[in-house]
Structures are given as structure tokens and as C-alpha cells.
Amino acid sequence: MSEYGKPNSPPPKTKPKKPKVSYIIDCMHQYTYVWLKHGKSFWFYPTRIEKGEVSGYRWDGKNGYFMDLMKNL
């Protein structure tokens, strides 16, 4: 995977167990499985963290596309 920007390979095929505690800062520039409050979950490759927002690439099963996540999700 490239250190910055869009990942150049797909995420792992298996979904990990949900951790009790995790910090997004520890997940920068690597695939991370995200569980949102409303029940949706997906693979995410974070590339930028700012106050209340994380930006990166969400995997849709075939490609990664850029998106922002807000802290209240």
C-alpha cells in the first residue's frame, strides 16, 4: 500500500471482531473496519484526521472512493 493517498490493494476478506476500544489515530494509512452508530459497517482507509472529521477511502467491494466521516456517526 502507498503511504499516502488511495490504497493500491483491496482490504482483507475477513471482517475483524469489533474491539471494545479503538482510536482512529492508530489506524492511519491502513485498512480499518468501521462500525457506525446506526449499524452500517465497512472497510475504511483513513488518510487525514482533523477536529471532528476523518477523511479517507471507503471500500465498496470493487474500488475505494474518497469520503469524510464526521465524529457523530
Side-chain angles (χ1 to χ4, degrees), residues 17-24 26-27 35:
K17 290 183 179 181
K18 187 175 182 179
K20 290 182 180 182
V21 177
S22 65
Y23 301 96
I24 194 69
D26 297 331
C27 303
W35 289 269

Side-chain angles (χ1 to χ4, degrees), residues 6-53:
K6 189 174 182 177
N8 55 18
S9 62
K13 293 182 186 263
T14 57
K15 182 170 92 170
K17 290 183 179 181
K18 187 175 182 179
K20 290 182 180 182
V21 177
S22 65
Y23 301 96
I24 194 69
I25 193 70
D26 297 331
C27 303
M28 289 296 293
H29 305 291
Q30 61 185 335
Y31 276 112
T32 303
Y33 203 79
V34 175
W35 289 269
L36 300 179
K37 289 180 182 178
H38 57 71
K40 291 194 177 193
S41 59
F42 51 88
W43 284 104
F44 186 67
Y45 187 89
T47 57
R48 183 178 62 92
I49 297 175
E50 289 189 19
K51 282 186 187 178
E53 182 179 85

